[in-house]
Amino acid sequence: MTSATRPAATAPRHTVGTGHAACHHGEILQGRFLDERRRPVHALVTLPMNGPGSTAYFTHRPGSPPDEVSVTPDGRTKARTAAVLAVRECAARRGADPCGGELTLTGCLPVGLGMGSSTSDVIATVRAVTDAWGLCLPPETVARIAVRAEGASDPLMHDPRPLLFAQREGRVLEALGAALPPTVVVGCTLAGGGPVDTLALPAPHHDGDLPAYGRLRRMLRRAVADTDTALLGRVGTASARLRQRTLCKPEFPALLAIADSTGAAGVQIAHSGNVAGILFDPRAPGLRHRVRSCARALEGEGCTPIRTFTTFASPSSEEYPWTRTSRKPSADRT
């Protein structure tokens, strides 16, 4: 039998693949930056957060059409699209016939708060599909699939290094260093924890701000290189201030006042959602008192504290047990 007449391979049978993806806590920096060809490109640097995320399970349905993918729970259309795209990618790499399957998603990420819930779903889905096929796709391929499924994507498919990521093109503009400076983040919700329709947001076109974003990019690069939490806070605050013109947060002046009164390094926000954080240097004296005072002040302003976490590897629940919070965002999903 010649290669021209050899039947195509088939997908693995009765194989369940699993995949997981973490979330993030909005952005440290987001705006328009010049790429390697000096073109203005929308890009962002996310604030990673360990813990919550999405887990996906994918089971092949041999003989079914490749677009026939059922999803539980209903309504996860972006994840379904990602599953179909991932199936076709894996089948092409295996030289096999694609087929549909069953996708199940679990997790407790709030939707529409700017924590990357849809990207987490999508990446977990792609990882589950590729696991079912016995493959592991490179992050660049996962990013391409995620952008096709969502229209824009966070860089959660990459390792947690700080990356300047073109979210609408799915590519890394710059790896800024090994890790963000050590930071304790007191996270809270704005606008009562209500979701934001990210697809309805206007795209900012402040070309006049390109020099400002270029400066913030250089400042962030230096903050990472020097492990300078104070400089990181300045970058987050400046980026949040620029974003006010596109998605105004009425609570922003209160966040600034609380950060100032508690000796924080600065603030950060979700540029397309309603989570925000007050940033503290863990090496600052009286950190426990500062964090607790911050949480009380946020509560008093109606900015409900929901989680306190760190940017460094050691779990905050062990090194900083007093930073844990028990509240959950009102938009939690099942």
Side-chain angles (χ1 to χ4, degrees), residues 8 46 87 96 106 151 156 168 192 198 307 315 319 325:
T46 58
V87 163
T106 63
L156 301 177
R168 299 179 185 179
T198 55
R307 179 180 293 270
E319 190 162 352
T325 59

Side-chain angles (χ1 to χ4, degrees), residues 307-324:
R307 179 180 293 270
T308 302
F309 61 98
T310 68
T311 60
F312 41 95
S314 58
S316 61
S317 59
E318 293 180 9
E319 190 162 352
Y320 300 99
W322 40 270
T323 64
R324 287 176 291 181

Side-chain angles (χ1 to χ4, degrees), residues 34-40 171:
L34 296 178
D35 69 2
E36 68 282 357
R37 296 167 55 188
R38 309 295 296 174
R39 298 181 307 147
R171 63 188 181 97

